[in-house]
Amino acid sequence: MEKILAYIDLLGFTKMIENDHQKAEELLLKFYDIAFRIIKDDERLKGNISSDCLLVYSEDYAALINCLAEIYRECFLLNDSFTNADFYLLPRGAVSVGAMTIGERDTSLAITKDFMIGKALVHSSKLEPQIKGSRLLIAVNAEDEQQKTSLLENKEIRSALYQNCTFKFWPGYHYVDALWFLDLYKDPEEQRKEILQLLKIAIKLTKSNSHNTKIAEHYINTLRIGLLSYSKFVENGNDAMFQTIMQDFKNDEYWFLWLTVIEISINRKEELKNADWSLVLGFYKKVSLEKSWMFVIEEINKPEKLYLKKALQTFID
């Protein structure tokens, strides 16, 4: 039977164990508590946790995605209380749909005989390690119209699914980001307040980890998800959050955030044609002279991003 399955782990957990086993254990228990509390009373969901790996599956697409988005938000909020930058709670996960055989067998004190096999498990578990940042990436079968409708047009999913994703993995699939900073079922002001709270944490973490290129990449990608979640609240180029990003992330290593601000502005300009985007245009003129702009050029010249290249040309004209 087909099920939707998520494979989630914690970014950097192995390194945390190497640094301080006790602190890593305490952090893992916080993850356990959050995941258990959110999943345990929902009869539509089944899951298990082993070390820092969480497997959750269901026949209900929305129930699974909503559950994971809530886990991500609660975990991320805890990062504001940690004082050691080497310890953090960043779930990273992949979701896919496929035929699954799940057997619940007899157990003893010495061994369990439950087993799980199927395409969704293989897809999600192989995809997850390729993901940068605290992202929830969902695989969509490009040839399965029912699956596309059930995922991309499902009004019960409480996070927007961002389809302009350049991620490539299995042929015949495209991948969308769940914008987990955003809970669409809350009223707009509550949505905005929560996203800004999470963005404040994301900005702090990105700044404090800028010295380590490998780790910084994860935080930059996480901040990008937050900004994309926030994009519905951007009314013009003078937006306060935009100004923070353009002011605080001018250095070359933040080129992906430059592109994110410009991409959001392009999308919002389509809806708000009379809004003032001059501040973003001025920002573009400055950063496009920087050495790292070559990475932006490379990104927008990917076949799946050609729409953005054309839109950028229109935006700056």
Side-chain angles (χ1 to χ4, degrees):
M1 178 179 293
E2 275 206 340
K3 296 185 184 296
I4 184 168
L5 179 141
Y7 186 100
I8 312 293
D9 80 355
L10 296 180
L11 273 166
F13 189 69
T14 301
K15 188 68 175 177
M16 286 185 254
I17 293 176
E18 293 173 357
N19 289 339
D20 190 320
H21 181 100
Q22 182 61 35
K23 285 185 179 179
E25 183 179 334
E26 292 171 1
L27 186 139
L28 185 61
L29 286 173
K30 294 179 186 294
F31 176 58
Y32 279 12
D33 288 345
I34 291 170
F36 181 76
R37 175 170 46 80
I38 292 172
I39 294 172
K40 69 181 178 71
D41 292 327
D42 194 330
E43 295 181 353
R44 299 168 297 177
L45 303 171
K46 297 288 184 182
N48 58 68
I49 300 178
S50 177
S51 183
D52 69 320
C53 175
L54 169 65
L55 279 176
V56 190
Y57 56 91
S58 178
E59 294 177 17
D60 189 317
Y61 294 4
L64 182 131
I65 294 169
N66 293 341
C67 151
L68 294 174
E70 187 175 356
I71 290 172
Y72 273 51
R73 286 192 294 270
E74 290 208 21
C75 286
F76 200 70
L77 283 170
L78 284 179
N79 288 298
D80 205 28
S81 64
F82 301 152
T83 56
N84 188 332
D86 291 330
F87 291 85
Y88 42 86
L89 203 49
L90 294 179
R92 170 182 67 178
V95 176
S96 62
V97 178
M100 292 291 303
T101 300
I102 299 170
E104 297 180 358
R105 304 292 187 176
D106 295 335
T107 63
S108 73
L109 293 176
I111 190 169
T112 64
K113 296 192 291 183
D114 297 351
F115 72 92
M116 184 183 300
I117 186 171
K119 187 175 181 179
L121 176 59
V122 173
H123 197 167
S124 294
S125 63
K126 297 296 184 184
L127 173 61
E128 183 272 334
Q130 312 300 318
I131 299 169
K132 303 295 184 184
S134 187
R135 294 168 65 185
L136 181 58
L137 207 61
I138 301 169
V140 183
N141 189 330
E143 298 179 358
D144 189 330
E145 293 300 324
Q146 182 176 351
Q147 186 181 129
K148 287 195 291 184
T149 299
S150 298
L151 283 168
L152 303 179
E153 300 177 22
N154 191 332
K155 301 300 183 184
E156 294 183 5
I157 295 176
R158 298 171 63 157
S159 295
L161 301 184
Y162 192 68
Q163 298 182 47
N164 297 331
C165 174
T166 59
F167 202 95
K168 292 291 182 184
F169 191 59
W170 274 11
Y173 284 82
H174 64 266
Y175 298 88
V176 300
D177 270 298
L179 302 184
W180 56 265
F181 280 59
L182 174 66
D183 185 345
L184 292 167
Y185 274 34
K186 295 179 179 178
D187 68 71
E189 188 52 40
E190 196 175 354
Q191 289 177 32
R192 188 175 185 277
K193 182 180 178 181
E194 182 174 48
I195 293 174
L196 288 173
Q197 182 183 14
L198 293 166
L199 275 172
K200 182 180 178 181
I201 298 170
I203 289 169
K204 176 183 173 183
L205 292 172
T206 304
K207 288 180 177 179
S208 62
N209 289 278
S210 60
H211 59 282
N212 187 322
T213 304
K214 187 175 181 180
I215 294 175
E217 185 178 16
H218 290 297
Y219 285 110
I220 289 168
N221 274 272
T222 304
L223 179 50
R224 171 177 164 81
I225 295 301
L227 290 170
L228 291 171
S229 302
Y230 174 75
S231 64
K232 62 179 286 187
F233 297 104
V234 176
E235 297 183 352
N236 55 60
N238 299 310
D239 180 88
M241 179 55 63
F242 266 20
Q243 291 191 49
T244 296
I245 299 300
M246 290 186 288
Q247 179 63 39
D248 294 354
F249 297 100
K250 295 176 180 177
N251 293 345
D252 278 357
E253 64 264 33
Y254 300 121
W255 67 267
F256 204 27
L257 297 179
W258 305 347
L259 179 59
T260 303
V261 167
I262 293 168
E263 186 173 351
I264 292 170
S265 300
I266 289 170
N267 292 335
R268 295 297 286 158
K269 188 180 179 184
E270 288 296 310
E271 301 176 41
L272 305 167
K273 298 186 183 301
N274 295 322
D276 179 11
W277 301 101
S278 58
L279 198 65
V280 178
L281 283 168
F283 176 71
Y284 157 77
K285 290 176 182 178
K286 290 179 181 178
V287 296
S288 61
L289 298 175
E290 300 296 330
K291 186 176 180 180
S292 284
W293 189 254
M294 66 181 180
F295 297 117
V296 176
I297 297 296
E298 181 180 343
E299 183 74 11
I300 66 176
N301 275 282
K302 292 177 179 178
E304 60 274 17
K305 281 282 188 177
L306 287 180
Y307 79 93
L308 183 57
K309 182 179 179 180
K310 293 177 181 177
L312 177 60
Q313 183 61 53
T314 302
F315 183 74
I316 63 180
D317 283 346

